[in-house]
Amino acid sequence: MAVSAPVRILGIDPGSRITGWGVIEHGGNRSRCIDHGRIHLEAGELPARLLRIFKEVGEVIRQYQPQETAIEEVFVNRNVSSALILGQARGAAICALAFADLPVAEYAPAQIKSAVVGNGRAEKQQVQHMIKILLNLPEAAPTDASDALAVALCHAHVRGTVIKTGEALRGAWGNAVVAKPRTPSPR
């Protein structure tokens, strides 16, 4: 069986105060971290914060030229108002991905934790620790960036399974969409 060409994946962990991002390169059964970071949003009007997410995610796309992207779905706990604001931050990031004409896969928090830690109820520190180990990082990434790297790794695992089986795993993996990798266009 031929080894597939490496694909660059951008993972996004949306937040109304901090949005994490992580870029990995995945080929065969190996993944490596290209870079990660966080978009810090100061207190202020929501439209200005959403615009900043859109612009900075766009800048990450321009800098790292991902071929595929993945984003965490909104988790609604008790505070519906916070979930709505988080959904808007997520929407701003998705708009930046769509504006760049990139395929977007969406994963629930439990799916991401299960793919990376093996436990859908894992704590943030467990995810952070496993990301450090799986990507051979010299030190643990900050939690938001680590969560974004986990989103990218989850997508890499799902993507690999879809390629091996040749079928979409929508039932088992929610809204996961694996599109044909595209060649980044020069910008």
Side-chain angles (χ1 to χ4, degrees):
M1 181 198 282
V3 176
S4 63
V7 62
R8 193 165 279 199
I9 302 168
L10 167 62
I12 304 277
D13 176 42
S16 60
R17 296 282 179 213
I18 298 174
T19 290
W21 59 269
V23 179
I24 66 168
E25 196 165 80
H26 180 78
N29 63 355
R30 303 186 134 216
S31 296
R32 71 180 182 97
C33 178
I34 302 298
D35 203 358
H36 57 80
R38 300 182 296 171
I39 301 167
H40 292 272
L41 305 166
E42 292 83 30
E45 295 296 317
L46 183 61
R49 294 192 335 234
L50 297 176
L51 180 60
R52 182 149 179 221
I53 292 170
F54 177 83
K55 286 181 175 179
E56 291 201 27
V57 168
E59 184 54 39
V60 170
I61 291 166
R62 279 185 288 287
Q63 184 172 353
Y64 296 102
Q65 296 290 304
Q67 295 157 292
E68 296 181 18
T69 64
I71 191 164
E72 185 173 343
E73 292 178 343
V74 174
F75 173 74
V76 180
N77 193 3
R78 292 184 184 151
N79 190 336
V80 175
S81 178
S82 293
L84 288 172
I85 292 171
L86 176 59
Q88 291 174 351
R90 186 175 174 278
I94 289 173
C95 283
L97 302 174
F99 187 74
D101 197 29
L102 289 166
V104 180
E106 302 172 63
Y107 300 97
Q111 293 169 315
I112 296 163
K113 291 174 182 178
S114 183
V116 173
V117 179
N119 176 359
R121 294 180 181 255
E123 299 291 325
K124 282 197 173 282
Q125 294 78 12
Q126 291 173 294
V127 172
Q128 198 175 25
H129 178 72
M130 284 305 295
I131 290 300
K132 179 181 182 287
I133 291 169
L134 293 171
L135 294 175
N136 197 27
L137 300 175
E139 60 185 45
T143 55
D144 304 288
S146 182
D147 288 349
L149 288 167
V151 173
L153 268 179
C154 176
H155 180 66
H157 293 301
V158 170
R159 173 182 203 288
T161 302
V162 169
I163 289 170
K164 285 179 188 169
T165 62
E167 60 187 54
L169 298 177
R170 286 189 178 278
W173 288 95
N175 295 325
V177 176
V178 179
K180 260 173 95 173
R182 70 175 187 83
T183 306
S185 60
R187 297 185 192 213

